[in-house]
Amino acid sequence: MAASAADSEGPDDLVGQPRDAITGPVADAEAVAERISSEERPLGPPGKPMNKRSPFFVGMAAAAGAAVTAGAVWFLFIASGTLVLIGVALFAAIGLEPVASWLVRHGLPRPLAVTVIVVGGLGLAAGFFAALIPPLVEQAVRFIDQVPEYLARLGDRSSWLGQVSARFDLQQRLQSTFSDPNPALVSGLLGSGRAVLGTLTDTLIVLVLTIYFLADFPRLRATIYRFVPHTRRPRAILIGDQIFAKVGSYVLGNVVISIIAGVLGFIWFTIFGIPYPVLLALLLAVLDLIPVIGAIIAGVVVSLTALTVSWPVCLATVGFFIVYRFVEDYLLTPKIIGRFVDVPALVTVVAVVLGGVLLGIVGALVAIPVAAAVLLFVREIVFHRLDHS
């Protein structure tokens, strides 16, 4: 009867009992657990792996593989936008890591080094917007003041603007649009507002993630290398650190080149009296961050602005951008970036085009360091194995 009473006890009846009162197979397992636990391995050493050739294991592995693959595809589809933001933040953190490491080597604790970088970056952003907002406000006020003059020109049939207005009935279209707004126009304005709000939110998310990645980068780096088998880990560390160095050097070098472009552009715009020199210089510096096509877009915009001064100034500005493009491609980039990120010109163009098609501006920005990392992997891993196979 005693035995049957003990067998009828459930798990809840054993809660609170001393370990010595539990008998049976569980007691034997607990005794073994006490023996295998140590200070180095409190949870004991890992057990033997399962028999991968058993039918049960093969079936479960196949089913689990299919389920994981389907779930991964679904997850990538749903979270693609968020994953892009995480990737941009990680890319920015890797680019800022050389600065943080330099500050740490010179005696600053890592939290303080990250704080210095964040405060410096926010200061540059504040300066950017402080220089950007006044010209925009001034230009908007000037446009509002000139709206009556533009409307008068639309009604003057003797001017070319009045002839265009009469041909396409622009004046009546504008009056009907603003007197009785089109629902499509209202929805477009609301959509633009939502896009601006979404851009600000994404920027804030990237900023916060970058700070976290940068503050915890050494631990993140060590965690990434833990996924590599122990026998291959030393070489993986060498290759991975080389990739990190290429990305960081590219980001910092690209920023330095963009600053040089903005300074030279500001000097040129000021000398020739091109309007809004600060705004155009900032635009040139930002667009120059985009490889291959960024400086071209900036050159077109600035040259059209220079056309408001005179034709000779416009042509001189076009010549300035052509000369600067050669200087950047054949002098600045090889000296500042080329020794760290050695990517052939053909691979650069193809990578930028593919990156732009896949991820837009973000893809174009990260295309060159990603291409450098892929080339390093192919040269050190793929070609090495093919040459020795």
Side-chain angles (χ1 to χ4, degrees):
M1 295 296 292
S4 62
D7 295 338
S8 63
E9 291 181 348
D12 295 336
D13 299 326
L14 301 178
V15 176
Q17 295 186 19
R19 181 173 293 180
D20 296 339
I22 303 175
T23 60
V26 176
D28 298 337
E30 288 182 343
V32 175
E34 291 180 356
R35 290 198 305 268
I36 66 175
S37 179
S38 61
E39 294 182 359
E40 293 80 8
R41 290 185 177 271
L43 302 180
K48 295 182 179 180
M50 296 179 61
N51 183 12
K52 298 182 180 180
R53 296 182 179 180
S54 65
F56 175 79
F57 186 87
V58 172
M60 287 296 296
V68 169
T69 302
V73 172
W74 176 82
F75 176 76
L76 290 175
F77 178 76
I78 296 298
S80 58
T82 304
L83 292 177
V84 169
L85 297 180
I86 295 174
V88 171
L90 181 59
F91 181 81
I94 295 174
L96 295 173
E97 173 59 21
V99 180
S101 300
W102 184 85
L103 293 175
V104 170
R105 287 195 304 269
H106 285 75
L108 289 182
R110 190 168 189 87
L112 182 58
V114 174
T115 302
V116 170
I117 294 174
V118 172
V119 172
L122 292 178
L124 291 176
F128 173 79
F129 286 109
L132 177 66
I133 293 176
L136 290 180
V137 173
E138 179 185 354
Q139 190 173 9
V141 171
R142 183 183 301 177
F143 175 77
I144 293 174
D145 293 339
Q146 293 179 350
V147 165
E149 181 181 353
Y150 291 149
L151 293 177
R153 291 181 180 180
L154 288 176
D156 186 6
R157 299 295 182 90
S158 61
S159 64
W160 68 271
L161 188 59
Q163 295 175 0
V164 173
S165 173
R167 181 177 182 83
F168 297 99
D169 201 11
L170 296 181
Q171 188 174 12
Q172 184 176 357
R173 291 175 184 270
L174 290 175
Q175 291 176 352
S176 62
T177 299
F178 289 101
S179 61
D180 185 17
N182 192 339
L185 177 62
V186 176
S187 63
L189 293 176
L190 293 177
S192 300
R194 286 195 297 267
V196 172
L197 181 60
T199 302
L200 294 177
T201 303
D202 293 344
T203 303
L204 181 61
I205 292 174
V206 170
L207 178 61
V208 173
L209 289 177
T210 301
I211 295 173
Y212 275 100
F213 282 145
L214 187 60
D216 209 25
F217 189 81
R219 186 181 304 176
L220 177 63
R221 169 183 171 276
T223 302
I224 293 174
Y225 291 144
R226 287 289 300 275
F227 286 97
V228 181
H230 178 72
T231 56
R232 301 176 181 270
R233 195 170 295 162
R235 180 164 166 78
I237 290 175
L238 295 176
I239 295 176
D241 287 349
Q242 185 69 19
I243 292 175
F244 289 149
K246 287 180 178 293
V247 175
S249 301
Y250 173 79
V251 173
L252 293 179
N254 201 17
V255 171
V256 170
I257 292 176
S258 296
I259 293 175
I260 294 174
V263 171
L264 294 178
F266 175 76
I267 296 173
W268 180 272
F269 307 150
T270 304
I271 292 175
F272 287 89
I274 299 176
Y276 311 119
V278 176
L279 179 60
L280 292 178
L282 290 174
L283 177 66
L284 173 59
V286 172
L287 290 179
D288 195 65
L289 292 172
I290 305 174
V292 181
I293 61 174
I296 297 176
I297 297 175
V300 172
V301 174
V302 174
S303 298
L304 291 177
T305 306
L307 186 60
T308 61
V309 180
S310 65
W311 273 104
V313 173
C314 175
L315 295 177
T317 303
V318 172
F320 164 76
F321 274 98
I322 293 175
V323 173
Y324 174 75
R325 190 63 193 173
F326 277 99
V327 171
E328 179 178 314
D329 290 342
Y330 295 100
L331 181 61
L332 296 179
T333 300
K335 293 292 184 181
I336 299 177
I337 302 179
R339 56 181 179 178
F340 298 104
V341 185
D342 186 13
V343 181
L346 177 61
V347 177
T348 299
V349 175
V350 173
V352 171
V353 171
L354 291 179
V357 171
L358 294 176
L359 298 176
I361 296 178
V362 175
L365 286 173
V366 304
I368 293 179
V370 170
V374 171
L375 288 177
L376 178 64
F377 179 83
V378 170
R379 183 174 65 249
E380 296 294 333
I381 303 297
V382 178
F383 287 167
H384 178 76
R385 291 184 178 180
L386 292 176
D387 293 339
H388 295 81
S389 61

